[in-house]
Amino acid sequence: MSLTAQGVSWSIDGHRVVDGVGLEVAPGTTMGLLGPNGSGKSSLLRLLAGLRAPAEGSIRLGGDDLADLPRRDIARRLALVEQDVNTDQDPLVREVIDLGRIPHRRRWSGESRSDRAAVLRAAQVTGVTEHLERRYSTLSGGERQRTQIARALAQEPTVLLLDEPTNHLDIRHQLSLLGMVRRAPATVVMALHDLNLALEFCDVVVVLESGRVAAAGPPAEVVDPALIEEVYGVPARVVQDEDGLHVRFLAAGEQSPSPAG
Amino acid sequence: MLAPAQGSPRLRLRLRMSGAVGLWLVAGLVLVASVAVAITIGPSELTTTDVGRVVWAKLAGGESGLSRIQDGIVWDLRLPRTLLAALCGAGLAVCGVILQSLLRNPLADPFVLGVSSGASTGAVSIVVLGAGAGSIGLTGGAFIGAVGAFALVLLLAHVAGGTTDRVVLAGIAATQLFSALTSFIVFSSADAEQTRGVLFWLLGSLASASWLDVAVCGVLVGAGLVICLLNASVLDAFTFGQDAAASLGVAVTRARVLLLVVTALITAVIVSTSGAIGFVGLVLPHAARALVGVRHRLLLPTAALLGALFLVWVDTAARTVIDPQEMPVGVATALVGVPAFMVILMRKGRRA
């Protein structure tokens, strides 16, 4: 299912966090949202998920305007994995994943056989099957992240939004998680910090700067030294080898020092 | 009362899946038996058979074969009181579960919305300022105060941004305000006897239970429990907060207002009939969670049954332990509840 944003703006306390963003995610593709801290990636994801209403512009999911869809219908088509979610309750991993089934069942009915099957499938894909009977609070950061993604997959969404899914993960888990996300049968939009991971795992990237789209397109075309210097304020080199493109950041000593920030 | 050991994950799960229904059956039977036994305890020689006879005679017509005084003790005093204890216990425990889940605060209890302090201000205004004497006036005043305080909390929370932590803060502010008003009225206008009466009510007492109280509480607690059960998966969806609930398809604002209003009404009725009985709504939800886990379909009925059992026995103790005097049941629940709470906390601490 496609996801489109047109001239979307959103402010908080008079500060324009998302400023006239337009983007179009083709069905089945993986889009990376890049940009420094505070560039509006998380806010844009919340707008795309329908959790906040844009002050201007519109967002369309498939053929429908997000603003016209009931929450439940959105939740059946679109799942969101936020950063650093927590709970003061102490559910089992199985119960967390099963939350993803809520939009699919009547509010008073218990879990059906197909719910259980969906939970098991999602656990298998994310590799948390062995943890199903553990408490969420006893999991490591990486296991929690995978559990949250399993919950989102149990929602059986056609669009999957992820806010920095590789945060707190070691490199092995980053790679396996992004591979898993890429294989998911859904249109994916994810905020990423790591430019090299974006080069490797995204079909398209959108670079945000102060809430605006600074660049968009295939990562190999978008990610270049001039853009990195402009958006992140860090000198960098993009090198090509037999495995593809890589970004190398230059330490301050290798070039003239750049302004902090 | 407290959960048996946590056990292995698999054992817990089995207990949870198939055991929950069995647990409710057993707890239901224990509750009926507890009510019957609790009625026999106290001055005047009674047996559970006598209790059964009186109830049968009243329901089916005919004679119980007991003296009129014994008849009266069972039917007019102890039965409504014990039933009211069960209803209050169930209602407070359910409200505690809802508020802890909805506000994502393990310290939330039914009184976090300012309802009990509003009720006491209403009651004290009636009793001390004489806006209408008698127990009906007190109950009515308490209910008006409770609903008024809750309306103020909702308004404050809405003005302050409407997030869950604002609800908690608004509740604390309202609680402080109405407590101050209550104290002010008592100190400026009440005589010693009124003060004693008000204090007794503030600490919670089921002594004046009537069949009318039982009926009103029964209808509200019953209806409230049904509404909450219908929203069990909505409550589950709040596990990771309101944005997570929204992204799982919950209309967050509507769900929150509905559930807050339901809990506030249940609490208001309970507080109006029996004062602010503390600790049941705070501790019993944690005990229920330790038994059956966090899913509300299992958790809500379990908490209701545990709360009912707990308050039936604590009230029985409260009216007999320092016989011929009576201990306010709110004092008794705290005396039993605090150590129980410590045990739960220590368990949790070891686990985490």
Side-chain angles (χ1 to χ4, degrees), chain A residues 71 86 90 95 108 111, chain B residues 16 104 246 295 297 351:
Chain A
R71 277 249 53 101
N86 59 61
D90 202 4
E95 292 168 338
W108 53 82
E111 62 186 45
Chain B
R16 222 180 265 196
R104 301 187 77 214
R295 283 205 196 172
R297 273 164 64 84
R351 228 175 338 98

Side-chain angles (χ1 to χ4, degrees), chain A residues 89-95 132-137, chain B residues 3-20 23 286-295 298-299 347-348 351:
Chain A
Q89 308 210 352
D90 202 4
L92 300 177
V93 170
R94 171 195 293 283
E95 292 168 338
L132 278 174
E133 310 305 333
R134 279 178 67 189
R135 291 169 183 289
Y136 186 74
S137 62
Chain B
Q6 298 293 321
S8 73
R10 194 165 298 165
L11 184 90
R12 263 177 67 85
L13 188 78
R14 211 182 307 149
L15 174 78
R16 222 180 265 196
M17 296 293 212
S18 57
L23 180 77
H286 290 288
R289 242 178 247 121
L291 258 182
V292 298
V294 298
R295 283 205 196 172
L298 300 186
L299 181 57
R347 278 198 134 92
K348 275 202 144 167
R351 228 175 338 98

Side-chain angles (χ1 to χ4, degrees), chain A residues 209 224-236 255-259:
Chain A
E209 189 187 11
D224 67 38
L227 179 95
I228 296 170
E229 171 96 52
E230 182 205 322
V231 173
Y232 290 91
V234 176
Q255 229 177 3
S256 60
S258 63

Side-chain angles (χ1 to χ4, degrees), chain B residues 2 8 11 30 55 74 119 147 171 239 260 265 309 321 324:
Chain B
L2 280 173
S8 73
L11 184 90
V30 172
V55 172
V74 171
V147 172
T239 307
L260 285 182
L265 284 179
L309 267 174
V321 165

